[in-house]
Amino acid sequence: MSEWMRVCPLEEIPRLGSRVVQTGKGDIAVFRNGLDEVFALRDQCPHKGGPLSQGIVFDRKVTCPLHSLTVQLDSGEAVAPDEGCTQRYRARVDKGEVYLNIS
Amino acid sequence: MTTRKKTRLVVIGNGMAGMRTLEELLKLAPDMYDITVFGAEPHGNYNRILLSPVLAGEMTIKDIMLNDVDWYAQNGITLHLNKKVTQIDRVRRKVIAGDGTEADYDRLLLATGSNPFMLPVPGKDLPGVVSYRDIKDTDEMIEAASRYRHAVVIGGGLLGLEAANGLRLRGMDVTVVHLMPWLMERQLDRTAAGLLQQSLEAKGLKFLLEKQTAELIAGESGRVCAIKFKDGETLSADLVVMAVGIRPNTELAETASLYCNRGVVVNDTMQTYDPRIYAVGECVSHRGIAYGLVAPLFEQAKVCANHLAQLGISRYTGSVTSTKLKVTGIDLFSAGDFIGGEGTEEIVLSDPSGGVYKKLVVKDDKIVGGVLYGDTAEGSWYFQLLRDGQNIRELRGRLMSGQSHLGNSGHQGQNNAASMPDEMEVCGCNGVCKGTIVKAIKEKGLFTLEEVRKHTKASSSCGSCTGLVEQILASTIGGAYQPVDASRKPLCGCTDYTHEEIRKAIVERKLKSIPEAMGFFEWRNVNGCASCRPALNYYLLCAWPHDYQDDPQSRFINERAHANIQKDGSYSVIPRIYGGVTTPEQLKRIAEVAEKYAVPTVKLTGGQRIDLLGVKKEDLPKVWADLDMPSGFAYGKSIRTVKTCVGSEWCRFGVQDSTNLGIALEKALDRMWAPHKVKLAVSGCPRNCAEATIKDVGIVGVDSGWEIYVAGNGGIKAEVSLFLVKVKSAEEVMEYASAFIQLYREEARYLDRTVHWVQRVGMDYVKKRIVADAAGRKALHERLADALRDEKDPWQERVRGVEAQEFVPIRL
Ligand code: SRM
Ligand SMILES: Cc1cc2nc3c(=O)[nH]c(=O)nc-3n(C[C@H](O)[C@H](O)[C@H](O)COP(=O)(O)OP(=O)(O)OC[C@H]3O[C@@H](n4cnc5c(N)ncnc54)[C@H](O)[C@@H]3O)c2cc1C
Ligand code: SF4
Ligand code: FES
């Protein structure tokens, strides 16, 4: 069964930015891009575990703050030629509120 | 539903230039054209320059494919292999191949390359006589090597020597026959050619110079068996390779009555005299020049794609090329006018027994050409100086010893890639060995430094090994590698405009936000990328200090969080300690904070202050509140530290009060953002205990006043600063130093340290603006003071609650 949890109002995540959400499953980075789409990834870079939440967001991508690997927000995959993948979670916006599903 | 029919693009020639143009076009306008490609060869697009390593047995054909047949399918391109186009019907706008296949076009791209030139001597068509151009030739040579013994290569140029080397490695007895008195006369002078010949002889090659071929003689089987020279001598030959030059392949264009003159004539937008027909590559003549190397073709491809995509903003204005020979173990570089003559002078370093020869030809204080043999470490640097037309007057003393000899850290002092074994580490930051880089270049078909960085990570961090990586790239792909044109550097992949063009427009067009700037320059990606956003943010902030609304999301995390991120995701806190002078009260406070927040490490930094390492992000605002000290900006492209020594106040040698001048400078520059970090130091006497001569601005007290030095660097590549001026008073120091820094802020590219910027614009320019022009200096000084007048301390702001979200996680 899927469980959607309310996270926060959309405005509380900066556009082209993110927030860290602490859950029972560890830290999850919830991103908001330039089109107000939201995405959720485990807050760990596939390279050396850097906090992706602290990276620079553009398009549907985030660049890791530690060594600049770029990760695709909608799949968790590293952008080629880099390799690696981080866990992706479902996130959505409904009536201005952000919801996250980590089940 | 109506589907608009797409414009039809037909490409003739499935080689390097044509397909590179398509790759560039697909990046810009993936859906614009219905594309059809004709190729006379039965293969997908391959890396022709790597036929040499294939012949030498170092690689296979499979390794050198750039775009296999699948690539065409994936991009919806219709590919006709093994079909030679024999006619262009310009009236009906269609092309017709030898087998009758037709294709209609709206736009046509000619990329037919060139044909090897065959000496018109009797016997040139005999079996066993080959040219060296494509896979077929290479296969034939490999086959011959397995059955026959004697090979003769006619032509001692690049191609001939690579062929000879390959055949020798395959066990043949090889003689190179050359008409001229020395090898590679179009790239080398006599001395360098002599050294080259020696090394090739040591590899077992034989040479006959100043020999003219008269005839090729057939043996009993009908295959070539000997070569006869004008002087009557003969030599056995079971395989003859003709490598005497190439001719642009214009046959098809000429039958279609397109204007040709030693190449299909094109203008700066790569259009032929028929505006629907474009041409790129070796078949082209641009401003009277037909190129025979890959690098210019790539530049042409880029421009051509831009126009095919109807963006119409770029022009091809010609290329300066350089050459490398791809024979393993031989290190040779040549560019420009390497012979010299009237009005030129030469700088020469010759060490024949050490196998090293370097010659630079200089005219009017500019490098116009050069030859390097045995040590090509500086090749890319010289080439850059040549192409940028940089004045080298001040560099003269250092030119021969070179850039990479001194002060480079991180790769065991190595500066000669050719002599490094494969397993040796090149990039000390990412642990990448030479072998890994070579392998990636060959297998992935990499041509640029950027691509190597992306694929291997080598030189992508601190960059100190960039020179080595460039050398490896150059020796692996020959003249196909050309360092980027430093004088015209696009801001990033999102735009073709340069840093300078963008900075200028921001001021002149009064662009005051990132979206406005991106809109004005028609950025390719809506939100830009992690490279351009921080740069634009800085340029806007520098241009409009009071109007621009800083964009935290366009700042690297350190500047967004006002602390340095650590490898475990925690942060470090370095409060400002002006001039390195502290008090017991301050020290107690720092100690208490460290205890209260259980800070794991307290360290004295190399910048004369104290670092609290391992603070949780959530705790940052509380730590700042308790410290109650200004931010040290240790995380920013900003003013960092002003180091000082004890100076005349205490020191028995001190002649000037360096401590207080340092504090005054640090206060004046407090909260200043810059293209990169800015570090100063003030020493109270020439003993220079504050290490002022490796700082962006270094001040050294002397009895009669202060000496000001600029553009030093103590980091990745140590650079000693250059003398700017000597002044009498501390007030003058403040004015000169801040004027210099403001000029740097206004004119350098983002991520240039002062040294990089000054090396580009030259110290003469800096002196003209800062020393000679008193009014200009004052104005710069005032502009800096004005820019900083309402900058607030970022820590105290956040203590007040600004951007609180940044620091607070959400708990579920
Ligand atoms: C803390 C400190 C080392 C220490 O424990 O002493 C330090 C730490 C770092 N240095 Fe440094 N540098 C420190 C003094 C220096 C010095 C010495 C100095 O300032 O006198 C140099 C050489 C002088 C110079 O810059 O010319 C120095 C040259 C570098 C460089 C190379 C810069 C260059 O242009 O070549 C980098 C890399 C970069 O900036 O790209 C770097 C980068 C870094 C970074 C920021 C790496 C990073 O991106 O995370 C380190 C951050 C650690 C942290 O979280 O605090 N650090 N770094 C020093 C802080 C001084 C301060 O009080 O602010
Ligand atoms: C062995 C070797 C080593 C080299 N080494 C280097 C080096 O180290 N560095 C460097 O910079 N350059 C090097 N070069 C040169 C480099 O390969 C060429 O400059 C480059 O390939 C030219 O690209 P192009 O697209 O213009 O021509 P090509 O790559 O030759 O492509 C032209 C293609 O068009 C096809 N074609 C011609 N006419 C027709 C027609 N009518 N219909 C259909 N198809 C047609 C040809 O068959 C060919 O496949 C080397 C070349 C060789 C042969
Ligand atoms: S502090 Fe400087 S030298 Fe030390 S590891 Fe970090 S970047 Fe390298
Ligand atoms: S940890 Fe993300 S790039 Fe290294």
Side-chain angles (χ1 to χ4, degrees), chain A residues 65-66, chain B residues 409 461-462 556 558 563-567 570-576 603-613 632-637 639-641 643 676-681 690-691 694-696 712-719 751-756:
Chain A
L66 293 197
Chain B
S409 60
S461 299
C462 83
F556 181 65
N558 287 359
N564 294 66
I565 194 163
Q566 304 294 312
K567 61 193 238 184
S570 69
Y571 287 80
S572 76
V573 172
I574 306 184
R576 198 167 284 295
K603 182 180 179 304
L604 300 185
T605 73
Q608 299 189 338
R609 43 199 195 166
I610 296 173
D611 195 351
L612 304 175
L613 292 133
F633 279 73
Y635 45 78
K637 310 289 174 243
I639 174 72
R640 291 286 178 93
T641 50
K643 296 219 279 196
H676 207 309
K677 51 193 168 194
V678 177
K679 299 178 179 182
L680 292 77
E691 301 162 346
I694 48 164
K695 293 290 176 259
D696 295 288
N713 193 303
I716 296 160
K717 182 162 156 40
E719 286 287 348
L751 298 189
D752 273 344
R753 285 289 296 264
T754 52
V755 58
H756 309 124

Side-chain angles (χ1 to χ4, degrees), chain B residues 16 47 49 282 292-299 447 479-482:
Chain B
M16 299 190 73
N47 195 341
I49 69 181
E282 281 187 353
L293 290 171
V294 165
L297 314 187
F298 285 177
E299 291 175 42
F447 290 104
Y481 171 66
Q482 310 280 294

Side-chain angles (χ1 to χ4, degrees), chain B residues 384-429:
Chain B
Q384 200 126 13
L385 293 171
L386 185 162
R387 200 171 45 182
D388 296 352
Q390 222 185 82
N391 190 307
I392 52 141
R393 184 134 49 94
E394 286 150 31
L395 295 172
R396 247 169 211 268
R398 290 189 293 150
L399 269 179
M400 276 293 142
S401 61
Q403 227 197 359
S404 47
H405 276 273
L406 294 166
N408 232 338
S409 60
H411 31 75
Q412 308 164 44
Q414 275 287 341
N415 54 42
N416 194 343
S419 64
M420 289 173 77
D422 272 358
E423 29 329 308
M424 193 160 179
E425 190 173 73
V426 173
C427 173
C429 291

Side-chain angles (χ1 to χ4, degrees), chain A residues 5-8 11-12 14-17 19-22 34 51 54-59 63 65-66 81-82 100, chain B residues 454-455 457 527-530 533-534 553 555-557 560 565-567 569 571 617-618 805-806 808-812:
Chain A
M5 296 181 288
R6 201 189 71 93
V7 178
C8 65
E11 313 75 271
E12 290 185 11
R15 186 170 283 156
L16 295 175
R19 293 292 296 272
V20 181
V21 180
Q22 299 177 331
Q54 313 296 297
I56 290 185
V57 178
F58 56 101
D59 192 10
T63 298
L66 293 197
D82 285 316
L100 177 66
Chain B
K454 266 199 194 139
H455 282 266
K457 296 275 174 283
N527 317 127
C529 70
R533 289 230 309 273
Q553 303 311 324
R555 283 186 179 267
F556 181 65
I557 181 59
R560 200 180 329 134
I565 194 163
Q566 304 294 312
K567 61 193 238 184
Y571 287 80
K617 193 176 185 191
E618 275 186 83
Q805 279 171 1
E806 177 70 41
V808 191
I810 297 168
R811 293 195 171 82
L812 280 190

Side-chain angles (χ1 to χ4, degrees), chain B residues 16 25 37 75 82 94 104 183 208 397 420 454 480 488 511 540 630 702-703 741 749 791:
Chain B
M16 299 190 73
L25 175 63
V37 174
N75 288 287
N82 225 345
K94 70 161 89 172
D104 296 321
L183 297 175
L208 287 177
M420 289 173 77
K454 266 199 194 139
R488 244 211 79 85
L511 306 174
L540 287 156
V702 287
D703 198 53
I741 292 170
R749 295 174 190 160
E791 278 287 347

